[in-house]
Each structure stands twice: as C-alpha cells, then as structure tokens.
C-alpha cells in the first residue's frame, strides 16, 4: 500500500466509524430497549454474561456464536475497568460489539478487493478505497450494524474465511468458517464455496492445459455456447473420474471437507439445521427466492448491471437465441406458478419492508408475479455477464452456492441476500469512479431513508402501547 493510499484508507475508515458512532448514539437514544429479534438475543447474551450457559431460549434458531463472542469481548471490561455486569452486558454495549465487527468488515472488504484484483494494475488506490467504502455502506448490512443481530459478525467471519482461502491458508479459513457457522448455520454454504473456489482454480488450470494440448482457443469465462458447455461437462466428468485428481483435490480441501462432515454430524444429532423453534423455519423448494435475489442485486447494483451496453447485449442475445430464451421463460413461469411460497411472517408483520413489497407489488394482481419473469431473466443474465472475468468453474460453484443458500428459505428476507451479494460484488471488475460514486449515492440515500423511517416514523399496533418501527 502506497503512503497516499494508506492515508486515504485511514481517513475513510475513521470517517465511516465516526459516522457510525453518531448514528449508533442516535439510535440508542431513541430505542433503548431490545427491539424485534433483540428481544431473544439480548437476554440470551446477558444469561451467558452471568455464566448461565445451560440456559437457552427455545425461540432462538441460530447457534450461540454471537453470545459466546460477546462474552469474550465484554467480560475483560469487568476486570480492566471495574465495570459492573449490568453495564458491560447492557443492550447498548452488546450492540456496540457489532459496531466493532463493522470496522473489521471494512478492513476485510479492502483486503479482499486488493487480493482479488491485484493483477489489475489500472485500478487506482482511490478506486479501491471508494469501492470499500461503498460496500461497507451496503444498506441491508449497514442497518443491522446498529442492532444486536447475528448479521455483522456472520459477515465478518465469512469474509475473513474467504480472505484466508484466497491466501492459501485453508486450515485457518476452515476454522474461521466454523466461527461463521456458529453465528448462522447456513454459512456452511460459504465454507463449501471457499473449498469449491480452490477446486475451481485447479480445474481452470487443467482445462487451459487441455485446450493448449488440443491447440484450441483459450477458455473464456462465460461464452454461453451450448457446445462449449458440453465440452466443459465432459472434461469435468473425466477429471473427477481420475483417482489421482480426486486425491489431489481432497488433499487441497480436506479442512473444508472436515468442517462439512462436522456440519452433517450436527444435522444428524440435532435432527435438522435449525436449533430451537423450527415451526417457522421449515425448508422448502422455493425457486422464486433465486429470482428475488437477482432482482435485489439488480437494484443495488444498477450502475453496473443496467448499463445501456448490457441492455443492448442482452437484447442481441435474445434475438440470437430466441428459442432458448422462450424455453427459459416457459420454465420460469412454471416454477413461479408451482413453487411460490408465502411465509406467515411476510404477510403478518408490517414492520418489515418486505411486507410492503409483497402487498403493494405482488399482491396487487395475481398475474404480476408472472409479468416479472422477463425482468428476472435479465437480472440473472446481467449478474452472470458481470462475472465473465471469472472462470466457468468459479461461476458454477458460486451459483450453486447462491441456489443452496436462497432456495430452501420459505421466508423472503433481504438479510439472507447479504453474503451472496457481497461475494458477487467483490468479484466483478472494479468499476470506474463514476459508477462507484453513483452506487455510493444510492446507498447513502437508501440508508438515510431507512434510518429516518426507523427513528422518526414510529407507529403502534391496536391494543398495544409498544412503539413499533420500520426496518429491513
């Protein structure tokens, strides 16, 4: 890191932390008591602070990583500063832990951008810093920095695991992946992604060697031709069928394989992936979740995914492959028809934005969910096109992981999209300054609206005196 870039990065992270502290203070003044899921998380953490590790609220569905980490952070304050347990384990102090995680996320995002794009010498230090600042302000993640939720810590350990994977420290990566799993069970998918990216790299090297032997054209990331796909699948089958290749891959990825085995053992012993109350977290085959993620990504990445050039290329692709797209639309319409699920929380809790998205858009007319199918296809195509700099094997493992982390979820919840979005956004080519500034402006506006609604537009339910607030 050059001196000017180091100064710029220090200014950016310090400024972001100062802004976050001001917002944190404002939020805690307005909402001192635990809110929403904090009503479960905060008392559980306070029980751990008292040493009551056998006490467990059955309504909590995640493992106790957040509470164990919280105790490990706040307990030393009792010994160092003589603070009482009631202070160090108060709602405000527990929320502050996520603010510390957000600083770590800022640094990890910067390191990941440097590592992933280190070969691109045209990227300036200012672009890296601005891109880091933009991702750190990503609205869905940024909002939950200020509440005692699992999201910020979950992102921290998952990004840390990904960074260690990229540097080849796979045992450390798997250990950090375990920490992420302790925050949220579905993070095991991103441990598989880390191991899969190692496999994808080996496959890409072998595939290039294969092409050179046959004196064919060098592989591109995503050509899209059916014949190329057949060739890749044939190569993949032959490669995996080789015992030597399999042993090589196992030796490279054994820490991740071990963690996946631990995960399956947990599922068998626990009787499922969810701990505690399972009635509201039943897995299903909810294919439209993938379409919602594509739409979510299109909205928050519109400066990169909705350029005139991309729209033009998509329309040309449709004209060129009209039959294939017609079949894809027909299949998508069928999937929307047969596999759209509506969770009771989605239509029963008017504090979440998804409630209004569903009521104002999807429930306006039964046909609307089908009308959006072409937009879903464009969003998915644009997302895949933006990742064409990555190998076809990397794309394969990424989209498989996105499928695995979204489709089984019955509840439409934007927080489930945070990690797949960040992984996508980190791996596209670093955008030019104009697009970064437009993206940052969008995030600032969305964050400003979100915090304004949460702090100032309170309401009450009938027959209840408790103040309610709008949130993601």
């Amino acid at each position: 890191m050059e001196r000017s870039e180091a100064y710029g990065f220090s200014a950016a992270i310090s400024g972001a932390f100062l802004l976050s502290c001001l917002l944190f203070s404002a939020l805690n003044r307005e909402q001192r008591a635990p809110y929403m899921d904090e009503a479960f998380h905060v008392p559980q953490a306070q029980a751990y602070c008292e040493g009551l590790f056998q006490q467990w609220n059955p309504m909590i569905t995640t493992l106790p990583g957040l509470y164990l980490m919280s105790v490990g952070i706040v307990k030393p304050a009792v010994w160092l500063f003589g603070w009482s347990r009631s202070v160090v384990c108060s709602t405000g102090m527990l929320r502050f832990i996520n603010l510390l995680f957000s600083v770590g996320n800022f640094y990890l995002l910067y390191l990941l951008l440097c590592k992933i794009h280190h070969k691109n010498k045209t990227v300036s230090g200012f672009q890296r810093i601005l891109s880091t600042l933009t991702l750190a302000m990503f609205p869905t993640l940024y909002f939950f920095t200020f509440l005692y939720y699992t999201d910020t810590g979950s992102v921290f350990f998952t990004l840390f695991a990904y960074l260690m994977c990229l540097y080849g420290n796979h045992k450390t990566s798997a250990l950090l992946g375990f920490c992420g799993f302790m925050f949220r069970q579905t993070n095991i998918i991103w441990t598989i992604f880390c191991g899969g990216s190692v496999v994808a790299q080996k496959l890409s090297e072998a595939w290039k060697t294969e092409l050179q032997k046959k004196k064919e054209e060098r592989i591109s990331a995503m050509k899209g031709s059916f014949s190329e796909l057949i060739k890749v699948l044939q190569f993949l089958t032959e490669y995996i069928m080789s015992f030597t290749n399999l042993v090589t891959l196992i030796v490279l990825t054994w820490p991740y394989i071990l963690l996946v085995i631990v995960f399956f053992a947990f599922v068998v012993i626990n009787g499922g992936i969810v701990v505690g109350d399972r009635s509201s977290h039943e897995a299903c085959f909810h294919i439209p979740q993938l379409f919602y993620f594509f739409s979510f990504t299109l909205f928050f990445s519109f400066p990169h995914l909705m350029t005139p050039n991309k729209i033009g290329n998509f329309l040309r692709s449709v004209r060129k492959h009209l039959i294939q797209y017609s079949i894809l639309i027909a299949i998508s319409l069928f999937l929307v028809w047969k596999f759209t699920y509506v969770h009771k929380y989605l239509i029963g809790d008017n504090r979440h934005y998804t409630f209004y998205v569903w009521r104002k858009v999807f429930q306006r007319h039964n046909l609307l969910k089908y009308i959006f199918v072409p937009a879903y296809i464009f969003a998915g195509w644009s997302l895949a096109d933006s990742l064409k700099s990555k190998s076809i094997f990397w794309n394969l493992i990424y989209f498989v992981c996105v499928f695995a982390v979204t489709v089984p979820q019955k509840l439409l919840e934007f927080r489930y999209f945070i990690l797949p979005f960040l992984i996508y956004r980190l791996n596209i080519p670093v955008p030019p300054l104009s697009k970064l500034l437009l993206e940052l402006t969008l995030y600032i506006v969305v964050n400003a609206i979100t915090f304004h609604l949460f702090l100032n537009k309170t309401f009450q339910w009938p027959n209840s005196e408790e103040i309610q607030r709008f949130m993601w």
Side-chain angles (χ1 to χ4, degrees), residues 79 84 94 143 167 183 198 210 240 308 332-333 362 450:
W79 309 320
S84 66
L94 291 172
F143 177 80
Y167 275 102
F183 271 68
V198 177
E210 184 75 11
I240 292 176
S332 300
L333 288 169
F362 290 95
T450 301

Side-chain angles (χ1 to χ4, degrees), residues 14-25:
S14 300
F17 183 66
L18 177 60
L19 173 64
S20 296
C21 286
L22 294 173
L23 283 171
F24 180 84
S25 176

Side-chain angles (χ1 to χ4, degrees), residues 199-441:
V199 174
Q201 184 178 356
K202 292 298 291 183
L203 288 171
S204 297
E205 293 169 359
W207 175 243
K208 289 176 182 178
T209 303
E210 184 75 11
L211 291 180
Q212 288 171 358
K213 286 180 181 178
K214 295 181 178 180
K215 297 183 179 180
E216 294 178 5
E217 291 185 2
R218 180 176 63 85
I219 185 172
S220 63
M222 293 287 279
K223 286 289 186 183
S225 68
F226 185 73
S227 59
E228 181 190 349
L229 181 60
I230 294 298
K231 288 180 182 178
V232 170
L233 291 175
Q234 287 176 344
F235 163 77
L236 190 57
T237 303
E238 292 172 3
Y239 188 91
I240 292 176
M241 292 299 289
S242 168
F243 179 76
T244 304
N245 292 335
L246 267 181
V247 171
T248 301
L249 294 178
I250 290 172
V251 169
L252 281 172
T253 61
W254 71 263
Y256 307 109
I257 295 172
L258 182 62
L259 184 54
V260 171
I261 292 171
V262 170
F263 167 75
F264 280 114
F266 158 77
V267 171
V268 170
I269 295 169
N270 186 56
I273 190 172
V274 177
V275 298
D277 178 33
R278 300 176 186 176
S279 60
S280 302
H281 296 83
E282 297 175 351
C284 62
F285 193 67
H286 195 181
I287 285 287
Q289 282 278 30
L290 198 60
F291 300 150
Y292 305 149
F293 169 69
F294 291 158
S295 305
F296 175 89
T297 303
L298 185 71
F299 176 79
F300 282 108
S301 249
F302 85 88
H304 320 306
L305 300 184
M306 290 187 68
T307 62
N309 185 48
K310 277 195 182 293
I311 295 172
N313 288 340
F314 175 71
L315 293 175
R316 283 188 289 273
S317 177
V318 171
R319 285 196 297 268
K320 186 176 180 181
H321 306 286
L322 188 58
I323 295 176
Q324 292 93 323
Y325 278 99
S326 299
I327 294 172
L328 182 59
I329 287 177
I331 294 172
S332 300
L333 288 169
F334 173 78
L335 293 172
V336 169
W337 172 52
K338 292 295 290 184
F339 298 104
T340 295
Y341 296 94
V342 182
H343 197 284
K344 61 182 179 181
Y345 290 169
L346 179 61
I347 57 175
D349 192 338
N350 65 346
R351 294 171 293 184
H352 293 290
Y353 294 165
T354 48
F355 172 89
Y356 299 96
V357 170
W358 195 262
R359 193 182 70 173
K360 299 290 187 181
V361 179
F362 290 95
Q363 282 191 331
R364 188 172 291 274
H365 196 282
N366 287 334
L367 292 178
L368 273 175
K369 61 183 179 182
Y370 303 109
I371 292 173
F372 290 132
V373 164
Y376 297 152
I377 292 174
F378 168 72
W381 177 91
S382 187
L383 191 155
D385 184 68
S386 68
L387 291 168
K388 63 186 178 183
S389 60
K390 311 298 288 187
S391 76
I392 193 169
F393 303 107
W394 188 96
N395 276 273
L396 179 63
I397 187 63
Y398 172 72
F399 282 104
V400 166
C401 288
V402 170
F403 183 94
V405 84
T406 57
V407 169
Q409 306 281 0
K410 187 176 182 179
L411 176 63
L412 172 58
E413 169 65 84
F414 291 144
R415 290 187 296 140
Y416 299 157
F417 299 156
I418 292 174
L419 277 168
F421 178 87
L422 289 177
I423 297 295
Y424 138 78
R425 182 57 182 77
L426 285 166
N427 281 279
I428 65 172
V430 178
L433 290 177
S434 58
K435 291 183 179 180
L436 285 173
L437 288 171
L438 184 59
E439 186 181 31
L440 179 59
T441 301

Side-chain angles (χ1 to χ4, degrees), residues 126-169:
F126 186 68
Q127 278 178 284
R128 285 191 290 269
I129 294 169
L130 187 59
S131 195
T132 301
L133 179 62
T134 301
L135 289 178
M137 298 290 287
F138 177 53
T140 315
L141 173 62
Y142 189 67
F143 177 80
F144 287 102
T145 296
F146 303 94
L147 296 175
Y148 192 61
Y149 274 55
T150 59
D151 300 271
T152 314
S154 167
V155 168
F156 174 82
F157 283 109
T158 303
L159 292 181
F160 205 169
Y162 186 33
L163 181 66
M164 291 298 100
C165 172
L166 293 177
Y167 275 102
N169 299 327

Side-chain angles (χ1 to χ4, degrees), residues 30-31 35 351 458-460 464-469:
E30 294 295 325
Q31 183 63 46
Y35 186 68
R351 294 171 293 184
T458 59
F459 63 99
Q460 289 178 294
S464 174
E465 296 182 358
E466 188 176 352
I467 297 296
Q468 307 298 336
R469 300 177 185 274

